[in-house]
Amino acid sequence: MRSDGILGSRDSPGKKMAATSRANWLKRRERWLVVLGVILHAVYMLSIFDIYFKTPIVHGIDPVTPRFTAPAKRLVLLVADGLRADKFYEPDAEGNYRAPFLRNIIKTQGRWGVSHARPPTESRPGHVSIIAGFYEDPSAVTKGWKANPVEFDSFFNRSRHTISYGSPDIVPIFCGGLQHSTWNSYPPEFEDFATDASFLDMWSLDQFKSLLNRSREDSKLKELLLQDNLVIFLHLLGCDSNGHAHRPYSSIYLNNVKVVDHVAESVYNLVQDYFMDNRTAYIFTADHGMSDKGSHGDGHPSNTDTPLVAWGAGVKYPRPISSSNHTDCGFRFVDDHVHDTPTPAEWGLLELERVDVNQADIAALMSTLLGQPCPVNSVGSLPLDYINMTKAEEVEAVLANTKAILNQFLRKSHIKQSHSFYFKPFKPLTHYSSIMDKIEGLITAGDFEAAMELSQNLRSLALKGLHYFQTYDWLMLMTVITLGYCGWMIYLVLHVLQSYTSLPGINFGMERAVRKNELGKVHLIGCLVMGIISLILFMEHSPPLYHAYMMMTSYLWMQIVSEYQFLKALWKHLSKRRMNHIVKLLAVGVFSIFILEFLVHSFTERKLYTWCFLIAGASASFYLFKSLSWRPGIPIFVCLSCWFLSLFTLMPAEIPDNNQLVVASGAVIVVIGIAARWVDLNAGGNKYWLSICNHEFKSPMYSALFYLQIILVCFSSLMVYISTSHRTEKQELHVLHQLINWSIAGFSLVLPLFSSNSLLSRLTSIFLGFAPTFLLLSIGYEAVFYAALALVLMAWILFENTILNLNILSRPSASTENIENNLILGYDHRSLQLSDVRIPLFFMVLLNVAFFGTGNFASIASFEISSVYRFITVFSPFLMAALLMVKLFIPFMLVICVFSAVTKMNQVPRMGCYFLVLFFSDVMTIHFFFLVKNTGSWMEIGNSISHFGIMSAQIVFVLLLFALTNMFTKDIRVNSAVLSSRKAI
C-alpha cells in the first residue's frame, strides 16, 4: 500500500500484526458491548412494572363481618356514565333544573355531595372505585379493558344476588363471572356516536321493568327478588356517548341529564310499588365527568367532579347548613380538591349541607347500608354523614371499615415479613393490637366519641401502611437500576477511553493476559457476591426479574473494578494536568448535561427546538464570522438555515392537508440539489473544500445519475398532484397511479448507491434519492421540513469543515506528527479528543428534531394516516403502518448519513461516537426513569412509559439505522486531514 505520510509501507510487519490484532480485539469487544447493552436495556426496561405498576391487590384476606343490623334490605345503584356534577346540579337557560326528581330527593329525603374521582377518569377505573372500593392499578391497561388482570373482590360479590343491566364494556367486568347474578347488556353496535344515545339508558330501564313484570308470573324469580341483601345496578351510558359525540354543553347531552333523572324516578317508583317495605337504599352517582372537548381521562375538575345523591333506608335526611357542620379541616380529596370546596350559588343548594366523598368511599357506604363486609381490597373510608344510625352502630360501622383496611395492611406486612431476611415494619402500627383493645374497651364503656376518634385515626394509619408496603421495594429497586445504568455508562466511558483515545494505559485492554491472576481474583469475588445475592433473593421468594436486575448491576460493577489499573492510571494522568484542562473538562460536562436536559424537556414541549435553532444559528454564525472573515457567505447560510428549521416546531403536530405546498416543496428540493451540485463542481479547487469535494471520480455516468434523480423528484411532485386530485374526485386510487408511485419510491431509494463516493456528491444523491418517497408520503408542511432539515445538515457539515481547517492551519508544522500519534485503528481514524464530544451531541439534537419536527414521536397516532393514500387506500393495517414508518425513518436516515460523513471527514471512529451517543442517551434514560408516572390519565401514564421506552430502545434503534444507512455511506471517500494540511501549507 502506498504511504500517505502517516502510516503505510514504512510500518514494520510487527506493527501491522499488532494493529491487525488490536482491530480484531476491538471488533469483538464492540460486538460484545452491543449485545450486553441490548440485554441490559431490555431487562431494565421491565423494571418500571415492578416499581411503578405493581398491583395493590392481595389475596388471602378475611372479610370483616359487621356487628350491627343492616339498615337496608336491598340497594339500587344508578351510575350515569360521563355525567358532570355542574351540568347535573345547575339550572338550564330558562332557570329550570334538569333533574327535578333527584333535586326533590336532595331537598326532602336524602343527602347530596360531589364524588371526587382519581385520574385516570375512565369508565373502568371509575366503576372499580365505586363497586370494589380501590383505585385501579394502571397495569390493567396492558391486559385489556374488559378483562380483569387480577381477580378482585367487589360489593356485588358480597350480595345474595345482583341484578345488572347496561353497557357490554362495564357490566360483564363485575357480573360476567358472578354465579349469583342476573345480568344483560346491549350489543356493542348500539353504541353509535351518530345518534342520540339516551335510548341506551331507556334500554336498561326497560330491562329492569321487564324483570319485575316477569317475576309476577315466575314464583322463583319473585322469591329471589324478595330476599335480603339484593343489589340492583343500572349502568346508564347515554351521557358518556352523547358527551363524546356532541360535547357536554350540547342540547343532546343536557337533555340526557333529564333522561337520567327520569330513569331514576321510574326505578324508584317501580321499586317502591313492588316491595312496599321502605327497606331500599338508593345511590345515584357517575364514574367520571366530561371535558368541554368531549373527552375525559385527566384530572381536570370537569372530569373528576361527579354528582352523588343517596336516599332511602339507612340514609340521613337533609340537614341545613350551619357553622357547626361546615368546617374546613384542610383535607384534600384524591383529585387534589380541598375539603369543603365552595358550592356554586347557581346550584341553589347553599342552604343544605353538602357532603363530598372520595369515589372509593361509595363502596364502603353501600356495604354499610346492606350490613355486609366491605370488599377486601377496599381503601374507601365510610362517610358517616350519609348513614342514619345510632352512635353505637356508627362506631361499629367505622370499626368494621377500619378492620377491613387493617387486615389488608396486616396481610401485606405478613407476606413481606415472611419473605424478608431484614424486615422493616411500619412503626406507627407495631402496636396495633393494643389500639384495637383500647377501642373495644371504650365501646364496652359506652364512650363512643373516643372510640370513634381512635378508630378513624387507626384507619388513617392503616391506609398509610398500605402505601408503605406498596412502595416497600421502591428504594432498593430504584437504587439497583440507577446503579446499573451508572455502571453501564461508566463501562462505556472506560471502553471509549481505552479504545478510541490516546490516554495513558490505552493498552491495558490488550494486556489482560499479563494480569490474569489479578483479574481472576476480581472475577472470583464478583461471582461470589452475585451468588450470595442470588441465594438471598431466592430464599426471599423474590420475582425472577429481581435476580436479573441484581446480576446485571453486579456484573457491570465487577467489570469496572477489574479495570482498576486503568482507573489508577487515568486518575494519575488527570492529576498531572493543568487546571485549565480540568476546567475545560468540567465545562464540557456541564454543557453536555444542559443539552441532554433540554432534550428531555423537548419530549413534552417540542417548541423548545425553535429557541434552540434560533440561538444555535446566531451563535454558529457569530463563531464563523469571527473565524472566517474571508468567507462571509457560509455564516449567513448557517444562520438562515437554522432559523428556517426553527419555524417547524411552532406548527401543529396535526399536519393540515396542503397539496400545493407538497408540490412546491419538490421545486425547493430540486433547487437545493442543483446548488449542492454546483458547489461540488466549482468549489473543489479551493483548499477549504478539499474534505468535502473530490473531483478525481467525476464521470458522465454520475452527471446522468444526478439528472435522473432531479427528474424523479419532479415526477414525484407531479404524481402528488395527480394522485391527490384523482383520489379526491373518484374516492379511490387509480391502479396506474399506484404502480407509478410504488415504482418511483422503490427506484429512487437505490440510486444513491451508484453515485460518486465523494462526500458532497454522495450526500446530495442520498438527499435526492430519499426525496421522491418522502414527497409521495407527505400531505403538508412536512415536505418543506425535509428540505429545511437538509439545509441544516449541510450547515453542520460546513461548520465541522471549518473547525477541521482551522485546527490544521493553526498547527501546520505539527499536524502530520499529531495525527500520526493519535491514529488508533487502521489508516484513516484518529483518536477521539474532548472537543469531539460535540459530534454526538449535535447528532442527538438533530435526530430528535427529526422526530419532533413534524409530529409527536412519542405517539405514532399523531401522524396522519392519509400520508399513505397515494400508495394504498384499501385498509391494510400492517402495510399502512410500514409505509408510515418509512416516512418517519427517512429524516432519521438522512441525519445518520450526515453523521457518518462527519465522522469520516473528521477522521474519528464512528463506533466510538456511537458509544458516546449511547452514553448520552442513558443519561436521558435515567431522567425518564424517575419521571415514569403511575397516576394521572392513561395518556400521561402512557407517555411517561413511552418516553422511557424510546430512550431505552435507542441502543437498538440507532444501531439498526446505522446498519441500514451504512450501505449508502460505507464507501464515502474524504481527503485526509494531512493531505489537506499539506496543500494548505
Side-chain angles (χ1 to χ4, degrees), residues 808-826:
I808 292 170
L809 292 175
S810 63
R811 296 187 300 272
S813 60
S815 60
T816 301
E817 181 183 354
N818 181 55
I819 293 175
E820 182 174 1
N821 290 336
N822 287 332
L823 281 172
I824 61 170
L825 181 60

Side-chain angles (χ1 to χ4, degrees), residues 519-541:
L519 289 175
K521 292 177 182 178
V522 173
H523 289 160
L524 178 61
I525 295 172
C527 290
L528 286 174
V529 170
M530 286 192 286
I532 293 170
I533 292 173
S534 183
L535 181 62
I536 293 172
L537 291 174
F538 177 78
M539 296 179 70
E540 289 188 341
H541 302 282

